[in-house]
Amino acid sequence: MADPALADRIASVLADVEGLELVGKDDEPDALVVAAPGAVAEPEASIALTGRELEVLALLAEGASNKLIARRLGISTHTAKYHVASLLEKLDAVSRTDAVAHAARIGVLHF
Amino acid sequence: MADPALADRIASVLADVEGLELVGKDDEPDALVVAAPGAVAEPEASIALTGRELEVLALLAEGASNKLIARRLGISTHTAKYHVASLLEKLDAVSRTDAVAHAARIGVLHF
DNA sequence: ACGACGCCTACCCATGTGGCTAGTGGACGA
DNA sequence: TCGTCCACTAGCCACATGGGTAGGCGTCGT
């Protein structure tokens, strides 16, 4: 059973992403995101990002500032900075721009 | 018809999110994420970047700061900033991170 | 000659970034 | 119970970013 709170968080982060439309369970979607074994692009390196870090990374990829990330996720700017710093460390990046580019290169982010 | 690549991207980003379970079409999900029709990004031929701007963009994609861009291209930091500002305007980006991500989405940058 | 464009330089200033440090609380496995 | 991890919060400070403004020079087309 998925964590409803996390699903809500993912839904709220993705709600404004261009090209995505969230629908209810009873609505007919155009397509589904499904787990296709082997078909999903897998990260090149064994970089383990936590759920929160992925949320922050997705927002970074939209060009969000720490302040905007904090607002979107309902956390303080300090916490947003903390997660950004963690991403820089895990992705071996020197800046948020480098982190986004690097994540795209190794398959953690796709455009 | 949704773009399968977009579905793969979302799936790959969400695949490792703790508490989130990707299910097959026949399974009962708690929530759905779908791609809106006609929203898949396509390379825009309308954006014309000059040679210098492409050089700066490539360096941005490596996470370079304005100072590093200036050093690499043998120009002043003022000029580097000028080109970054031009890129932000042409790519309709709010920051250098957004510019890199947007350029990747529309096919100007490849990772 | 003139205008447009690309490239370049400089300055000011408000805001953002990132490194560093320090801390709390919950969940989980040994 | 304890250690580890995750998520979160807070503050300081040097440096970077980005918007705005102003300007010069070379090239090219009209």
Side-chain angles (χ1 to χ4, degrees), chain A residues 7-57:
Chain A
D8 284 345
R9 276 164 39 191
I10 298 293
S12 68
V13 169
L14 296 177
D16 294 333
V17 173
E18 189 173 354
L20 284 183
E21 177 184 356
L22 302 184
V23 297
K25 295 174 69 174
D26 299 326
D27 296 329
E28 185 70 20
D30 301 302
L32 299 176
V33 175
V34 298
V40 173
E42 295 178 352
E44 179 175 313
S46 58
I47 294 184
L49 297 183
T50 68
R52 209 48 152 173
E53 284 164 351
L54 284 169
E55 291 179 297
V56 170
L57 183 57

Short mmCIF file of all heavy atoms in Angstrom, two decimals, chain A residues 7-57:
data_model
loop_
_atom_site.label_atom_id
_atom_site.label_comp_id
_atom_site.label_asym_id
_atom_site.label_seq_id
_atom_site.Cartn_x
_atom_site.Cartn_y
_atom_site.Cartn_z
N ALA A 7 2.17 10.14 -1.68
CA ALA A 7 1.49 10.26 -2.97
C ALA A 7 0.94 11.67 -3.13
O ALA A 7 1.01 12.26 -4.22
CB ALA A 7 0.35 9.24 -3.05
N ASP A 8 0.39 12.22 -2.06
CA ASP A 8 -0.11 13.59 -2.12
C ASP A 8 1.01 14.57 -2.40
O ASP A 8 0.86 15.53 -3.14
CB ASP A 8 -0.82 13.95 -0.81
CG ASP A 8 -2.20 13.30 -0.73
OD1 ASP A 8 -2.70 12.82 -1.77
OD2 ASP A 8 -2.77 13.27 0.38
N ARG A 9 2.16 14.33 -1.77
CA ARG A 9 3.29 15.23 -1.99
C ARG A 9 3.75 15.17 -3.45
O ARG A 9 4.01 16.19 -4.06
CB ARG A 9 4.45 14.85 -1.06
CG ARG A 9 4.31 15.46 0.32
CD ARG A 9 5.20 14.82 1.36
NE ARG A 9 6.52 14.47 0.89
CZ ARG A 9 7.36 13.71 1.60
NH1 ARG A 9 6.99 13.26 2.78
NH2 ARG A 9 8.55 13.40 1.14
N ILE A 10 3.89 13.95 -3.96
CA ILE A 10 4.29 13.78 -5.36
C ILE A 10 3.28 14.45 -6.26
O ILE A 10 3.64 15.17 -7.20
CB ILE A 10 4.41 12.28 -5.72
CG1 ILE A 10 5.48 11.61 -4.88
CG2 ILE A 10 4.71 12.12 -7.20
CD1 ILE A 10 6.87 12.09 -5.15
N ALA A 11 2.01 14.23 -5.97
CA ALA A 11 0.95 14.80 -6.80
C ALA A 11 1.02 16.32 -6.78
O ALA A 11 0.89 16.98 -7.81
CB ALA A 11 -0.42 14.33 -6.32
N SER A 12 1.25 16.89 -5.61
CA SER A 12 1.27 18.35 -5.52
C SER A 12 2.48 18.93 -6.24
O SER A 12 2.41 19.99 -6.84
CB SER A 12 1.24 18.79 -4.06
OG SER A 12 2.46 18.46 -3.43
N VAL A 13 3.60 18.22 -6.20
CA VAL A 13 4.79 18.71 -6.89
C VAL A 13 4.60 18.61 -8.40
O VAL A 13 4.97 19.51 -9.15
CB VAL A 13 6.04 17.92 -6.46
CG1 VAL A 13 7.22 18.24 -7.37
CG2 VAL A 13 6.38 18.20 -5.02
N LEU A 14 4.00 17.52 -8.83
CA LEU A 14 3.84 17.29 -10.26
C LEU A 14 2.65 18.02 -10.85
O LEU A 14 2.48 18.08 -12.06
CB LEU A 14 3.71 15.78 -10.55
CG LEU A 14 4.92 14.93 -10.19
CD1 LEU A 14 4.64 13.45 -10.44
CD2 LEU A 14 6.12 15.38 -11.00
N ALA A 15 1.81 18.57 -9.99
CA ALA A 15 0.56 19.17 -10.47
C ALA A 15 0.82 20.27 -11.49
O ALA A 15 0.05 20.45 -12.42
CB ALA A 15 -0.25 19.71 -9.29
N ASP A 16 1.89 21.04 -11.29
CA ASP A 16 2.15 22.17 -12.18
C ASP A 16 3.14 21.85 -13.29
O ASP A 16 3.51 22.73 -14.05
CB ASP A 16 2.68 23.35 -11.37
CG ASP A 16 1.60 23.88 -10.43
OD1 ASP A 16 0.41 23.71 -10.75
OD2 ASP A 16 1.96 24.42 -9.37
N VAL A 17 3.55 20.59 -13.37
CA VAL A 17 4.53 20.27 -14.40
C VAL A 17 3.85 20.25 -15.76
O VAL A 17 2.82 19.61 -15.95
CB VAL A 17 5.19 18.90 -14.11
CG1 VAL A 17 6.08 18.49 -15.28
CG2 VAL A 17 5.99 18.96 -12.82
N GLU A 18 4.47 20.98 -16.69
CA GLU A 18 3.90 21.08 -18.04
C GLU A 18 3.81 19.69 -18.68
O GLU A 18 4.75 18.92 -18.66
CB GLU A 18 4.78 22.00 -18.87
CG GLU A 18 4.21 22.36 -20.21
CD GLU A 18 5.07 23.42 -20.90
OE1 GLU A 18 6.03 23.91 -20.27
OE2 GLU A 18 4.77 23.73 -22.07
N GLY A 19 2.67 19.38 -19.23
CA GLY A 19 2.51 18.10 -19.91
C GLY A 19 1.93 17.01 -19.04
O GLY A 19 1.70 15.91 -19.49
N LEU A 20 1.69 17.34 -17.77
CA LEU A 20 1.14 16.35 -16.87
C LEU A 20 -0.20 16.80 -16.34
O LEU A 20 -0.39 17.97 -16.01
CB LEU A 20 2.08 16.11 -15.69
CG LEU A 20 3.32 15.28 -15.94
CD1 LEU A 20 4.09 15.10 -14.64
CD2 LEU A 20 2.96 13.92 -16.51
N GLU A 21 -1.14 15.87 -16.26
CA GLU A 21 -2.45 16.18 -15.70
C GLU A 21 -2.80 15.08 -14.70
O GLU A 21 -2.83 13.89 -15.03
CB GLU A 21 -3.50 16.23 -16.81
CG GLU A 21 -4.90 16.48 -16.29
CD GLU A 21 -5.93 16.43 -17.41
OE1 GLU A 21 -5.51 16.27 -18.57
OE2 GLU A 21 -7.12 16.56 -17.12
N LEU A 22 -3.07 15.50 -13.47
CA LEU A 22 -3.45 14.53 -12.46
C LEU A 22 -4.96 14.31 -12.52
O LEU A 22 -5.74 15.26 -12.62
CB LEU A 22 -3.07 15.04 -11.07
CG LEU A 22 -1.59 15.34 -10.88
CD1 LEU A 22 -1.31 15.75 -9.44
CD2 LEU A 22 -0.76 14.13 -11.25
N VAL A 23 -5.36 13.06 -12.51
CA VAL A 23 -6.79 12.74 -12.55
C VAL A 23 -7.13 11.83 -11.37
O VAL A 23 -6.26 11.21 -10.76
CB VAL A 23 -7.17 12.04 -13.87
CG1 VAL A 23 -6.92 12.96 -15.05
CG2 VAL A 23 -6.42 10.74 -14.02
N GLY A 24 -8.44 11.77 -11.06
CA GLY A 24 -8.89 10.90 -9.99
C GLY A 24 -8.96 9.45 -10.45
O GLY A 24 -8.81 9.13 -11.62
N LYS A 25 -9.21 8.57 -9.50
CA LYS A 25 -9.20 7.15 -9.80
C LYS A 25 -10.30 6.75 -10.77
O LYS A 25 -10.17 5.80 -11.54
CB LYS A 25 -9.35 6.36 -8.49
CG LYS A 25 -8.18 6.55 -7.56
CD LYS A 25 -8.43 5.89 -6.21
CE LYS A 25 -8.44 4.38 -6.32
NZ LYS A 25 -8.55 3.74 -5.00
N ASP A 26 -11.42 7.44 -10.74
CA ASP A 26 -12.55 7.06 -11.58
C ASP A 26 -12.52 7.68 -12.96
O ASP A 26 -13.35 7.36 -13.80
CB ASP A 26 -13.87 7.47 -10.89
CG ASP A 26 -14.03 6.77 -9.55
OD1 ASP A 26 -13.58 5.61 -9.45
OD2 ASP A 26 -14.56 7.38 -8.61
N ASP A 27 -11.55 8.60 -13.19
CA ASP A 27 -11.47 9.23 -14.50
C ASP A 27 -10.66 8.37 -15.45
O ASP A 27 -9.84 7.56 -15.03
CB ASP A 27 -10.83 10.62 -14.38
CG ASP A 27 -11.69 11.54 -13.54
OD1 ASP A 27 -12.93 11.37 -13.57
OD2 ASP A 27 -11.13 12.41 -12.85
N GLU A 28 -10.89 8.58 -16.74
CA GLU A 28 -10.19 7.81 -17.76
C GLU A 28 -8.92 8.56 -18.17
O GLU A 28 -8.98 9.59 -18.82
CB GLU A 28 -11.10 7.62 -18.98
CG GLU A 28 -10.52 6.72 -20.06
CD GLU A 28 -10.45 5.26 -19.61
OE1 GLU A 28 -11.17 4.90 -18.67
OE2 GLU A 28 -9.69 4.48 -20.22
N PRO A 29 -7.75 8.05 -17.82
CA PRO A 29 -6.52 8.76 -18.19
C PRO A 29 -6.16 8.50 -19.65
O PRO A 29 -6.60 7.51 -20.24
CB PRO A 29 -5.48 8.14 -17.25
CG PRO A 29 -5.98 6.74 -17.06
CD PRO A 29 -7.49 6.85 -17.03
N ASP A 30 -5.36 9.40 -20.20
CA ASP A 30 -4.86 9.18 -21.55
C ASP A 30 -3.80 8.10 -21.56
O ASP A 30 -3.66 7.35 -22.52
CB ASP A 30 -4.28 10.48 -22.11
CG ASP A 30 -5.32 11.57 -22.13
OD1 ASP A 30 -6.37 11.37 -22.78
OD2 ASP A 30 -5.12 12.58 -21.46
N ALA A 31 -3.04 8.06 -20.50
CA ALA A 31 -1.99 7.05 -20.40
C ALA A 31 -1.65 6.85 -18.93
O ALA A 31 -1.97 7.67 -18.08
CB ALA A 31 -0.76 7.46 -21.19
N LEU A 32 -1.00 5.76 -18.68
CA LEU A 32 -0.60 5.45 -17.32
C LEU A 32 0.90 5.42 -17.21
O LEU A 32 1.59 5.06 -18.16
CB LEU A 32 -1.14 4.08 -16.90
CG LEU A 32 -2.65 3.90 -16.89
CD1 LEU A 32 -2.98 2.45 -16.55
CD2 LEU A 32 -3.27 4.84 -15.88
N VAL A 33 1.39 5.82 -16.07
CA VAL A 33 2.78 5.57 -15.75
C VAL A 33 2.80 4.22 -15.08
O VAL A 33 2.23 4.03 -14.01
CB VAL A 33 3.34 6.64 -14.81
CG1 VAL A 33 4.77 6.27 -14.40
CG2 VAL A 33 3.33 7.99 -15.49
N VAL A 34 3.45 3.28 -15.73
CA VAL A 34 3.45 1.94 -15.19
C VAL A 34 4.88 1.45 -15.06
O VAL A 34 5.79 1.93 -15.72
CB VAL A 34 2.67 0.97 -16.10
CG1 VAL A 34 1.22 1.41 -16.17
CG2 VAL A 34 3.29 0.94 -17.48
N ALA A 35 5.05 0.50 -14.20
CA ALA A 35 6.36 -0.09 -14.01
C ALA A 35 6.56 -1.15 -15.09
O ALA A 35 5.94 -2.20 -15.05
CB ALA A 35 6.47 -0.70 -12.63
N ALA A 36 7.41 -0.83 -16.05
CA ALA A 36 7.73 -1.81 -17.07
C ALA A 36 9.11 -2.37 -16.77
O ALA A 36 10.10 -1.67 -16.88
CB ALA A 36 7.72 -1.17 -18.45
N PRO A 37 9.18 -3.60 -16.37
CA PRO A 37 10.48 -4.16 -16.00
C PRO A 37 11.49 -4.04 -17.13
O PRO A 37 11.22 -4.42 -18.26
CB PRO A 37 10.16 -5.63 -15.70
CG PRO A 37 8.72 -5.64 -15.40
CD PRO A 37 8.09 -4.55 -16.24
N GLY A 38 12.66 -3.47 -16.79
CA GLY A 38 13.72 -3.38 -17.78
C GLY A 38 13.57 -2.22 -18.75
O GLY A 38 14.53 -1.84 -19.39
N ALA A 39 12.36 -1.68 -18.86
CA ALA A 39 12.17 -0.61 -19.83
C ALA A 39 12.49 0.76 -19.24
O ALA A 39 12.72 1.71 -19.97
CB ALA A 39 10.72 -0.63 -20.33
N VAL A 40 12.48 0.85 -17.93
CA VAL A 40 12.76 2.14 -17.30
C VAL A 40 14.25 2.43 -17.39
O VAL A 40 15.07 1.58 -17.10
CB VAL A 40 12.31 2.11 -15.83
CG1 VAL A 40 12.75 3.37 -15.13
CG2 VAL A 40 10.81 1.94 -15.77
N ALA A 41 14.57 3.65 -17.81
CA ALA A 41 15.97 4.04 -17.85
C ALA A 41 16.53 4.01 -16.45
O ALA A 41 16.01 4.67 -15.54
CB ALA A 41 16.11 5.42 -18.45
N GLU A 42 17.57 3.28 -16.26
CA GLU A 42 18.11 3.11 -14.92
C GLU A 42 19.29 4.03 -14.72
O GLU A 42 20.05 4.31 -15.63
CB GLU A 42 18.51 1.64 -14.72
CG GLU A 42 17.33 0.71 -14.75
CD GLU A 42 17.76 -0.73 -14.60
OE1 GLU A 42 19.00 -0.96 -14.62
OE2 GLU A 42 16.90 -1.60 -14.47
N PRO A 43 19.43 4.50 -13.49
CA PRO A 43 20.57 5.40 -13.21
C PRO A 43 21.88 4.70 -13.51
O PRO A 43 22.06 3.52 -13.25
CB PRO A 43 20.40 5.66 -11.71
CG PRO A 43 18.95 5.44 -11.45
CD PRO A 43 18.52 4.37 -12.38
N GLU A 44 22.78 5.51 -14.04
CA GLU A 44 24.07 4.96 -14.46
C GLU A 44 24.89 4.52 -13.26
O GLU A 44 25.54 3.49 -13.28
CB GLU A 44 24.80 6.04 -15.25
CG GLU A 44 26.15 5.66 -15.75
CD GLU A 44 26.73 6.76 -16.63
OE1 GLU A 44 26.00 7.25 -17.50
OE2 GLU A 44 27.89 7.13 -16.41
N ALA A 45 24.86 5.33 -12.22
CA ALA A 45 25.63 5.00 -11.03
C ALA A 45 24.66 4.63 -9.91
O ALA A 45 23.48 4.89 -9.97
CB ALA A 45 26.48 6.18 -10.63
N SER A 46 25.21 3.99 -8.89
CA SER A 46 24.36 3.58 -7.79
C SER A 46 24.18 4.75 -6.83
O SER A 46 24.65 4.71 -5.69
CB SER A 46 24.99 2.39 -7.07
OG SER A 46 26.28 2.76 -6.62
N ILE A 47 23.55 5.78 -7.30
CA ILE A 47 23.28 6.94 -6.46
C ILE A 47 21.89 6.80 -5.87
O ILE A 47 20.91 6.71 -6.59
CB ILE A 47 23.36 8.24 -7.29
CG1 ILE A 47 24.79 8.46 -7.77
CG2 ILE A 47 22.90 9.42 -6.44
CD1 ILE A 47 24.99 9.75 -8.49
N ALA A 48 21.85 6.75 -4.54
CA ALA A 48 20.58 6.58 -3.87
C ALA A 48 20.07 7.93 -3.40
O ALA A 48 20.63 8.53 -2.48
CB ALA A 48 20.74 5.63 -2.69
N LEU A 49 19.03 8.40 -4.04
CA LEU A 49 18.41 9.65 -3.62
C LEU A 49 17.12 9.31 -2.88
O LEU A 49 16.37 8.44 -3.28
CB LEU A 49 18.09 10.53 -4.84
CG LEU A 49 19.28 10.99 -5.67
CD1 LEU A 49 18.81 11.91 -6.79
CD2 LEU A 49 20.31 11.68 -4.82
N THR A 50 16.91 10.03 -1.79
CA THR A 50 15.70 9.80 -1.01
C THR A 50 14.51 10.44 -1.73
O THR A 50 14.68 11.19 -2.69
CB THR A 50 15.83 10.41 0.40
OG1 THR A 50 15.87 11.83 0.26
CG2 THR A 50 17.11 9.94 1.06
N GLY A 51 13.31 10.10 -1.24
CA GLY A 51 12.12 10.63 -1.87
C GLY A 51 12.10 12.14 -1.85
O GLY A 51 11.75 12.79 -2.85
N ARG A 52 12.47 12.72 -0.74
CA ARG A 52 12.49 14.16 -0.63
C ARG A 52 13.51 14.78 -1.59
O ARG A 52 13.26 15.82 -2.20
CB ARG A 52 12.81 14.55 0.82
CG ARG A 52 12.23 15.86 1.27
CD ARG A 52 10.80 16.03 0.94
NE ARG A 52 10.10 16.90 1.87
CZ ARG A 52 8.84 17.29 1.69
NH1 ARG A 52 8.17 16.90 0.62
NH2 ARG A 52 8.25 18.07 2.57
N GLU A 53 14.66 14.13 -1.71
CA GLU A 53 15.68 14.66 -2.61
C GLU A 53 15.20 14.64 -4.05
O GLU A 53 15.49 15.56 -4.83
CB GLU A 53 16.98 13.86 -2.45
CG GLU A 53 17.74 14.22 -1.18
CD GLU A 53 18.80 13.20 -0.80
OE1 GLU A 53 18.83 12.11 -1.43
OE2 GLU A 53 19.58 13.48 0.12
N LEU A 54 14.47 13.59 -4.42
CA LEU A 54 13.92 13.53 -5.77
C LEU A 54 12.90 14.66 -6.00
O LEU A 54 12.84 15.25 -7.08
CB LEU A 54 13.27 12.18 -6.01
CG LEU A 54 14.26 11.04 -6.26
CD1 LEU A 54 13.54 9.70 -6.22
CD2 LEU A 54 14.95 11.23 -7.60
N GLU A 55 12.10 14.92 -4.99
CA GLU A 55 11.15 16.02 -5.09
C GLU A 55 11.88 17.34 -5.32
O GLU A 55 11.51 18.15 -6.17
CB GLU A 55 10.30 16.11 -3.83
CG GLU A 55 9.33 14.96 -3.64
CD GLU A 55 8.54 15.10 -2.35
OE1 GLU A 55 9.18 15.08 -1.27
OE2 GLU A 55 7.32 15.26 -2.41
N VAL A 56 12.92 17.55 -4.53
CA VAL A 56 13.69 18.79 -4.65
C VAL A 56 14.39 18.85 -6.00
O VAL A 56 14.43 19.90 -6.66
CB VAL A 56 14.71 18.90 -3.49
CG1 VAL A 56 15.67 20.05 -3.72
CG2 VAL A 56 13.98 19.09 -2.17
N LEU A 57 14.92 17.72 -6.44
CA LEU A 57 15.61 17.68 -7.73
C LEU A 57 14.65 18.02 -8.87
O LEU A 57 15.01 18.75 -9.81
CB LEU A 57 16.22 16.29 -7.96
CG LEU A 57 17.03 16.10 -9.23
CD1 LEU A 57 18.18 17.10 -9.30
CD2 LEU A 57 17.56 14.67 -9.33
#
